[in-house]
Amino acid sequence: DQQVKQNSPSLSVQEGRISILNCDYTNSMFDYFLWYKKYPAEGPTFLISISSIKDKNEDGRFTVFLNKSAKHLSLHIVPSQPGDSAVYFCAASVTGTASKLTFGTGTRLQVTL
Amino acid sequence: DARVTQTPRHKVTEMGQEVTMRCQPILGHNTVFWYRQTMMQGLELLAYFRNRAPLDDSGMPKDRFSAEMPDATLATLKIQPSEPRDSAVYFCASGLSALAETQYFGPGTRLLVL
């Protein structure tokens, strides 16, 4: 049973446009959410997080939105750059600790020129 | 700069063989995690160590998988006997605490069991 779902395996966006990556979850106990970025042949790196007490968190070009009633979060990248091309994983936690992270299957973002 | 290192980077083996994957955490980090990435499941936590002691290995198939930290600079993940369904990328991550944001992932070991 996949508790964290990323239903779009891939996404292609033009450079300069907005990239929107989506993530849905089923466990209402999740209270902390994270996005990771992964380049080929490298491990994931932490990108941005959000606590369930907030509905938005922004860091430069990256913004994460959380809709608790819909059990949905999204990552917005504006403007998208070619270096953003990577696989993005969302993850959810009950306690905010790494030992309790549940990951999605990832979305591959391709930013084209 | 400090990085988590993993060896080997790639491993091809036959079903039934023992596989050992190694991880060198970042010096000074006291938490170590092993993850497995598959296309169907994404990243799954297999085991979690703090100060070399195993705290959670509930995600690991106990009959064939084992994880240890012989010392603070080495974590190992063994599969014996290996099966084709074990084919995946195995990541090690280390951190200064259990907080997810403080984890640093290694580059992974890509395992193929024929």
Side-chain angles (χ1 to χ4, degrees):
Chain A
D1 177 33
Q2 197 74 19
Q3 295 189 64
V4 177
K5 299 178 184 178
Q6 294 177 257
N7 293 317
S8 298
S10 64
L11 175 68
S12 182
V13 172
Q14 265 191 326
E15 181 181 11
R17 303 272 190 159
I18 183 171
S19 295
I20 300 177
L21 295 94
N22 294 305
C23 181
D24 297 295
Y25 60 96
T26 57
N27 188 343
S28 57
M29 297 298 290
F30 288 143
D31 60 3
Y32 202 77
F33 304 88
L34 306 95
W35 283 94
Y36 288 82
K37 179 179 181 179
K38 182 186 177 306
Y39 291 120
E42 294 183 12
T45 56
F46 167 72
L47 190 57
I48 192 169
S49 62
I50 187 167
S51 164
S52 61
I53 62 173
K54 294 184 175 181
D55 54 18
K56 175 183 175 181
N57 189 27
E58 193 171 351
D59 184 1
R61 296 184 298 112
F62 302 91
T63 303
V64 56
F65 294 91
L66 175 62
N67 183 334
K68 290 185 289 294
S69 61
K71 295 191 179 68
H72 177 84
L73 65 154
S74 60
L75 174 68
H76 292 210
I77 306 174
V78 184
S80 301
Q81 298 174 354
D84 297 329
S85 297
V87 177
Y88 290 79
F89 291 95
C90 70
S93 168
V94 174
T95 62
T97 63
S99 60
K100 302 295 182 187
L101 284 177
T102 301
F103 283 85
T105 52
T107 296
R108 182 177 302 276
L109 173 66
Q110 180 73 36
V111 179
T112 59
L113 298 173
Chain B
D1 57 331
R3 296 185 185 189
V4 175
T5 58
Q6 290 186 246
T7 56
R9 294 295 310 276
H10 303 273
K11 176 74 176 179
V12 180
T13 191
E14 292 187 344
M15 182 174 63
Q17 296 298 304
E18 177 177 304
V19 175
T20 299
M21 290 169 272
R22 294 176 176 80
C23 166
Q24 182 173 0
I26 292 173
L27 190 64
H29 282 188
N30 65 344
T31 57
V32 172
F33 304 83
W34 282 104
Y35 290 91
R36 174 171 62 184
Q37 181 194 1
T38 62
M39 292 295 291
M40 296 301 295
Q41 297 295 325
L43 279 157
E44 306 170 273
L45 179 69
L46 297 175
Y48 162 44
F49 290 78
R50 183 188 295 167
N51 296 324
R52 297 176 54 202
L55 293 190
D56 186 353
D57 61 1
S58 58
M60 207 162 61
K62 299 290 191 304
D63 55 339
R64 299 182 300 107
F65 284 60
S66 63
E68 296 178 344
M69 280 201 74
D71 61 59
T73 64
L74 177 65
T76 62
L77 180 66
K78 291 186 181 180
I79 309 174
Q80 169 63 16
S82 58
E83 297 180 1
R85 59 178 167 154
D86 301 328
S87 298
V89 182
Y90 291 81
F91 290 102
C92 172
S94 72
L96 281 169
S97 72
L99 288 176
E101 292 92 327
T102 65
Q103 282 188 91
Y104 291 84
F105 282 79
T109 294
R110 183 175 294 275
L111 174 65
L112 177 61
V113 183
L114 301 173

